[in-house]
Amino acid sequence: MQKQKVSYVERLEHSLVKVIQQPGADQNQPPMMRVVLGLLTGISCIFRSVVAVRYFLYNLGILRRFPLGCQVISIGNVTAGGTGKTPVTEKFARELTKAGRKVAILSRGYRRKEKPWWQRMCSAVIEPPLVVSDGKRIRLDAATGGDEPYMLASNLPGVCVIVDRNRVKAGRYAISRFGCDTLILDDGFQYQRLKHSHEVVLVDKTNPFGNGHMLPRGVLREPAKHIARADVIFITKSDGKTEDVIKQIREYNKKAEIIECRHAPRLLKDVWSREELPLEWLKGKTLTTLSGIAVPQGFEDSLRKLGARVIWCERYADHHRYDSSEILYALNKTADLHADALITTEKDAVRFPRFETTPVPCYYLRVDIEILKGSENFATAVDHICNVKPKHS
């Protein structure tokens, strides 16, 4: 079976991401790419100005931040993609639920299936938020609710997962409909319309602030100095050698609690049957991988560190929506290479169409957050959220 052609947009995205993501990667580029980078620099300057004006209007009160009378924990970052927000969101939700809070996760549901923008603009009906999970059962699939909301709902029984572009509306719905007293704003650092009680910011140790440029010339959503707003900072993908990153962080934020963590593989699960295998199964196995995430290298390297031999890696753009032909191509390629299995990520697995039989096994790697340093800071943050009354104004 032939591989379906990757769209021009995805090919362009792949090329640009490689150039803008890492410091120095834009050097010695061919003339055409230098022209593109010049155009992106101009757009970045405009974007930086728009961000500055937006925060200025919020700080003046011209644009309003809405309080909801309960704890609102924002988990986000200043860079685009790849820092590991979902596992950190999951960890906070799980610990707060254990502490007796009624938790709802509010998500935009990035790249989910929804009506075209012009239909949404013209509609006179205000639709209620989408309930991916009411804490008792999962109500929507990944395509309708979004990959990450569905994944969170699957892993967090007892936690409501609500999706809407308008997180103020979603928060009000979670409070009135489900009696939630704690809201976790997934990817919420830039979402200023909802007043935050606590700011949790993630910084990727392997690439803290990219090349220093704003989108689309770099990966910054807002200037790095804005992490001064953070109450808690997670250094993700840590290897324990974080002195330089901490020094950079402290230039902008002297007060925030710092927690170092890594994404720790826990087990393998069959994508369709959900049969579990221990990580020891990987040792000595020959594997292929399929992923559509922001930073696939870390996922692929983790398999090698666990003793696997990875011989072929198929990569798509972040949040790629798979069709059957793409999955079949990867499965057949794996069989042709006489590999033992095709391995994907949990975030990708929720986007896979259903197959009754496959030529080779297909597993996803289940990971969660392991705190390396600052576990007492995390415990303090959870305790603070549980025991401090939110401000109503």
Side-chain angles (χ1 to χ4, degrees), residues 108-123:
R108 178 189 170 190
Y110 185 62
R111 288 198 184 180
R112 64 184 173 86
K113 286 183 181 177
E114 56 183 333
K115 293 178 182 177
W117 67 268
W118 54 269
Q119 285 188 15
R120 296 197 304 269
M121 292 289 288
C122 296
S123 176

Side-chain angles (χ1 to χ4, degrees), residues 119-333:
Q119 285 188 15
R120 296 197 304 269
M121 292 289 288
C122 296
S123 176
V125 179
I126 299 176
E127 296 183 355
L130 297 177
V131 180
V132 182
S133 171
D134 59 10
K136 297 176 182 177
R137 64 186 179 91
I138 297 173
R139 297 185 177 186
L140 299 175
D141 60 16
T144 307
D147 314 332
E148 287 155 358
Y150 179 83
M151 193 171 83
L152 288 164
S154 301
N155 293 331
L156 293 168
V159 175
C160 300
V161 182
I162 315 291
V163 168
D164 200 289
R165 287 172 177 266
N166 184 342
R167 259 75 66 86
V168 176
K169 181 175 75 173
R172 286 172 176 159
Y173 191 83
I175 294 166
S176 62
R177 179 70 178 81
F178 301 111
C180 296
D181 57 22
T182 305
L183 307 177
I184 297 178
L185 194 54
D186 184 34
D187 196 12
F189 195 57
Q190 286 75 41
Y191 192 80
Q192 293 294 300
R193 197 161 174 260
L194 178 56
K195 190 175 178 66
H196 307 164
S197 310
H198 306 273
E199 293 280 12
V200 179
V201 175
L202 278 57
V203 175
D204 180 352
K205 189 265 176 183
T206 62
N207 189 26
F209 306 113
N211 58 15
H213 289 284
M214 297 278 284
L215 288 167
R217 179 62 176 81
V219 294
L220 286 173
R221 295 173 170 186
E222 54 187 287
K225 65 182 181 181
H226 285 193
I227 63 169
R229 303 200 309 270
D231 302 300
V232 178
I233 294 175
F234 273 77
I235 300 176
T236 62
K237 305 178 188 176
S238 173
D239 57 2
K241 302 173 183 176
T242 55
E243 295 82 5
D244 291 343
V245 179
I246 292 174
K247 185 178 178 182
Q248 280 183 279
I249 290 170
R250 288 304 186 205
E251 288 178 8
Y252 304 124
N253 189 316
K254 308 290 185 187
K255 63 178 177 60
E257 302 284 3
I258 293 180
I259 299 166
E260 296 181 37
C261 64
R262 71 183 183 100
H263 293 69
R266 294 303 181 198
L267 50 84
L268 294 165
K269 273 193 178 185
D270 187 284
V271 169
W272 295 288
S273 73
R274 294 301 192 259
E275 173 196 1
E276 295 184 1
L277 290 176
L279 294 178
E280 290 73 21
W281 180 87
L282 290 168
K283 196 166 185 178
K285 292 293 192 295
T286 300
L287 306 173
T288 63
T289 68
L290 174 64
S291 61
I293 56 177
V295 187
Q297 189 69 47
F299 157 63
E300 295 155 7
D301 287 345
S302 68
L303 297 172
R304 297 183 179 101
K305 289 175 183 175
L306 289 165
R309 178 171 167 255
V310 180
I311 58 172
W312 179 75
C313 300
E314 181 75 327
R315 299 174 175 178
Y316 288 92
D318 195 16
H319 292 276
H320 177 77
R321 187 64 58 187
Y322 297 100
D323 61 31
S324 298
S325 65
E326 292 164 339
I327 306 302
L328 281 173
Y329 172 77
L331 289 166
N332 289 330
K333 181 76 171 182

Side-chain angles (χ1 to χ4, degrees), residues 30-49:
M32 191 61 193
M33 181 58 78
R34 289 202 297 271
V35 170
V36 172
L37 290 174
L39 291 172
L40 294 181
T41 300
I43 298 171
S44 290
C45 291
I46 296 170
F47 180 57
R48 180 183 288 271
S49 299

Side-chain angles (χ1 to χ4, degrees), residues 43-115:
I43 298 171
S44 290
C45 291
I46 296 170
F47 180 57
R48 180 183 288 271
S49 299
V50 170
V51 169
V53 169
R54 178 173 172 267
Y55 276 106
F56 179 71
L57 294 176
Y58 269 113
N59 292 335
L60 281 182
I62 295 172
L63 294 179
R64 185 183 171 193
R65 294 183 174 100
F66 291 85
L68 294 185
C70 69
Q71 298 288 5
V72 178
I73 301 97
S74 163
I75 299 177
N77 53 22
V78 294
T79 57
T83 56
K85 288 185 299 293
T86 304
V88 173
T89 299
E90 185 178 322
K91 188 168 185 66
F92 265 99
R94 185 172 283 114
E95 292 302 317
L96 287 166
T97 301
K98 283 182 186 176
R101 308 294 290 192
K102 179 64 175 175
V103 177
I105 297 171
L106 311 182
S107 174
R108 178 189 170 190
Y110 185 62
R111 288 198 184 180
R112 64 184 173 86
K113 286 183 181 177
E114 56 183 333
K115 293 178 182 177

